[in-house]
Amino acid sequence: MQLSKVVGAILNDLSEAQDLANEYSSQLSYKYKKNQVVDNHENVLSNFQVPSAVLCEINLDLKFLIKEINLDGFTLDFEQTQKNCDTKASKIVKHLTEEINKSEDLNIEPNMITSDLINRLQSSLAKELYILCKKAFSSENDLAESEIQKILTDRLEDELLKWEGIQNFLEKGDVNDPKQVKRVGERREKIKKYCQDSLNNEMQESALTTMIEKVKGSPKTDVIVSPVALNKASTETIQSLRITAKYNESRWTISNAEST
């Protein structure tokens, strides 16, 4: 594994950890919402600030063995690849929302598909596409085309179904009425089909690789980070890289790195 990818994976995991913390704080905000009544009593949590967590700095001591130094190679053009993912996500969501709006089977209510929902769908899908592109570039993605389609379909469907307006639309009426229950199930299946069709329309075979942009890279150090291999190696052959990563302006960056 390349040393740059090991460091990049660490930064990526730190960003995902911050994202999960932010998402959980957002969910907690509903519990702490002011003027909320819980079991006929005033919600005492409304007197407190919503808990949140920010990890500002982390120090890592990375141990590895040098396997090979590759002087030629390419690296992922992160910015352009992200733009390609944004563009593709925009096209997919545009097709999806147009089909939902004109569906006679769903009989969607006017203005149900808001700009906020569209932005949320595009952002979520672009993020998923970008993750898949990075895995494909690093040859860590062994997913079949059908598996990729399922991941993206599930992402779109999940974002649609947890949108409050869509939830209210699907569940309006008597929830104990068997006909209503059946109708909700049929609408959910219809939404899933529209998600699948929209992806099939834009994500043809090898569409993922066409979104990946590469640029000529600097020399790459191929390393071994397996604990088993490190345990068997002599102390003199083990390299160490001390990294200081800081969280600033909503992203993690390496502020200092030195060999020890």
Side-chain angles (χ1 to χ4, degrees):
M1 179 178 288
Q2 290 177 355
L3 181 58
S4 58
K5 291 178 181 176
V6 175
V7 175
I10 291 171
L11 290 178
N12 185 62
D13 284 348
L14 290 173
S15 296
E16 288 192 13
Q18 186 63 59
D19 181 48
L20 287 172
N22 292 343
E23 184 174 343
Y24 184 57
S25 292
S26 175
Q27 293 171 0
L28 285 178
S29 68
Y30 291 100
K31 289 178 63 177
Y32 285 69
K33 191 174 181 180
K34 294 188 181 299
N35 302 322
Q36 188 179 32
V37 176
V38 180
D39 296 331
N40 296 322
H41 296 287
E42 182 184 355
N43 181 20
V44 295
L45 289 175
S46 64
N47 297 318
F48 298 90
Q49 290 185 336
V50 177
S52 61
V54 176
L55 187 64
C56 297
E57 182 177 305
I58 186 168
N59 294 303
L60 298 169
D61 197 9
L62 179 64
K63 305 291 185 182
F64 59 91
L65 294 169
I66 295 179
K67 182 179 180 182
E68 182 183 4
I69 297 178
N70 183 10
L71 299 178
D72 299 314
F74 292 89
T75 189
L76 183 66
D77 186 335
F78 297 101
E79 185 175 350
Q80 189 56 52
T81 300
Q82 182 66 71
K83 287 181 180 178
N84 293 343
C85 291
D86 291 341
T87 300
K88 180 65 71 174
S90 177
K91 290 180 179 178
I92 293 171
V93 172
K94 183 176 184 294
H95 183 272
L96 171 62
T97 52
E98 286 177 349
E99 291 301 307
I100 289 178
N101 271 325
K102 68 183 183 183
S103 170
E104 294 182 358
D105 294 330
L106 284 176
N107 191 24
I108 204 84
E109 295 177 357
N111 303 319
M112 181 72 69
I113 306 297
T114 65
S115 58
D116 285 344
L117 174 57
I118 291 174
N119 291 336
R120 178 170 174 168
L121 289 171
Q122 290 178 354
S123 175
S124 181
L125 184 61
K127 180 180 179 180
E128 199 69 60
L129 285 168
Y130 185 59
I131 292 172
L132 290 170
C133 282
K134 287 196 297 183
K135 288 183 177 180
F137 175 77
S138 61
S139 302
E140 295 174 3
N141 182 15
D142 56 356
L143 295 174
E145 199 76 25
S146 59
E147 292 175 300
I148 293 173
Q149 290 280 5
K150 185 179 185 307
I151 289 172
L152 298 175
T153 298
D154 289 347
R155 169 64 72 176
L156 277 177
E157 184 185 8
D158 181 60
E159 291 295 338
L160 269 171
L161 294 180
K162 69 183 181 185
W163 187 255
E164 186 176 4
I166 298 294
Q167 285 182 353
N168 293 338
F169 168 72
L170 289 174
E171 298 171 6
K172 67 180 180 180
D174 185 0
V175 294
N176 296 317
D177 182 357
K179 291 183 178 179
Q180 171 64 10
V181 173
K182 181 181 179 182
R183 192 179 302 115
V184 169
E186 290 172 346
R187 285 174 172 171
R188 285 176 175 268
E189 285 300 313
K190 184 61 67 174
I191 286 176
K192 183 173 184 176
K193 183 178 185 304
Y194 283 137
C195 291
Q196 291 173 332
D197 291 346
S198 298
L199 284 162
N200 290 334
N201 187 62
E202 287 292 338
M203 292 291 292
Q204 304 298 328
E205 189 174 354
S206 302
L208 199 64
T209 55
T210 62
M211 286 184 276
I212 297 173
E213 295 286 347
K214 297 180 287 186
V215 292
K216 189 69 175 178
S218 55
K220 303 293 182 183
T221 305
D222 197 11
V223 299
I224 300 171
V225 293
S226 166
V228 175
L230 290 172
N231 190 46
K232 292 180 179 179
S234 62
T235 307
E236 295 78 14
T237 61
I238 297 177
Q239 306 294 314
S240 181
L241 182 65
R242 186 159 294 162
I243 300 170
T244 300
K246 289 188 176 182
Y247 185 70
N248 186 31
E249 295 182 353
S250 301
R251 66 176 180 172
W252 281 95
T253 55
I254 299 293
S255 62
N256 186 48
E258 58 182 7
S259 57
T260 58

